[in-house]
């Protein structure tokens, strides 16, 4: 099973920026879905952004549209999440995940993913 390692989290002030990285232990095909998810204390895990397995398009949760950008570098087996205009409600542990079968906007549903990283904490202070 592919291993995923997230990095880039930290403490940032309101309005600040961070870039998260997720590096896979082996090649992940463009036809695999890969996404970013987050979980705040006491809340359910939610999808943030993803590449789907069907059309390889990018999808974003409404709460992050216009502020977050997902990108990938296949040569480095790495997916990035550039986060700008951060808000306190973005505070959470951020995870990346991959799976062969998460088509369309279903790639925003964490239940469609089997392989997960350990997570990286993002804290936005006001």
């Amino acid at each position: 099973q592919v291993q995923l390692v997230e990095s880039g989290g930290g403490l940032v002030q309101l309005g600040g920026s961070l870039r998260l990285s997720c590096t896979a232990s082996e090649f992940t095909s463009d036809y695999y879905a890969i996404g970013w998810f987050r979980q705040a204390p006491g809340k359910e895990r939610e999808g943030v952004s993803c590449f789907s397995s069907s059309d390889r398009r990018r999808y974003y949760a409404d709460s992050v549209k216009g502020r977050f950008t997902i990108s990938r570098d296949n040569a480095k087996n790495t997916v990035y999440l550039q986060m700008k205009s951060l808000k306190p409600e973005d505070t959470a542990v951020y995870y990346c995940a991959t799976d062969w079968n998460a088509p369309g906007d279903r790639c925003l549903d964490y239940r469609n993913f089997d392989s997960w990283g350990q997570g990286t904490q993002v804290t936005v202070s006001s």
Side-chain angles (χ1 to χ4, degrees):
Q1 192 173 20
V2 63
Q3 303 297 314
L4 301 170
V5 178
E6 302 96 334
S7 61
L11 174 64
V12 64
Q13 290 187 336
L14 173 67
S17 300
L18 281 174
R19 189 178 78 158
L20 305 183
S21 300
C22 171
T23 300
S25 59
E26 59 189 66
F27 175 75
T28 302
S29 168
D30 279 357
Y31 292 95
Y32 273 55
I34 188 160
W36 286 97
F37 302 83
R38 65 187 181 187
Q39 188 165 19
K43 294 188 176 181
E44 186 178 10
R45 189 167 298 189
E46 62 175 355
V48 175
S49 183
C50 58
F51 287 98
S52 78
S53 60
S54 56
D55 52 21
R56 291 174 285 170
R57 289 176 56 188
R58 296 172 173 87
Y59 291 86
Y60 296 93
D62 288 343
S63 59
V64 307
K65 282 181 181 176
R67 299 188 299 123
F68 290 12
T69 302
I70 191 172
S71 62
R72 67 195 301 168
D73 184 338
N74 288 342
K76 296 181 179 180
N77 290 347
T78 300
V79 175
Y80 303 98
L81 184 69
Q82 178 68 52
M83 306 186 294
K84 298 180 180 179
S85 303
L86 284 161
K87 307 174 182 179
E89 50 264 44
D90 295 318
T91 295
V93 177
Y94 283 70
Y95 301 89
C96 67
T98 189
D99 200 274
W100 69 275
N101 186 25
D105 62 3
R106 290 179 60 188
C107 68
L108 286 173
D109 187 340
Y110 71 91
R111 294 168 294 183
N112 291 320
F113 288 78
D114 286 334
S115 297
W116 291 85
Q118 83 290 347
T120 185
Q121 176 71 46
V122 172
T123 302
V124 184
S125 66
S126 56

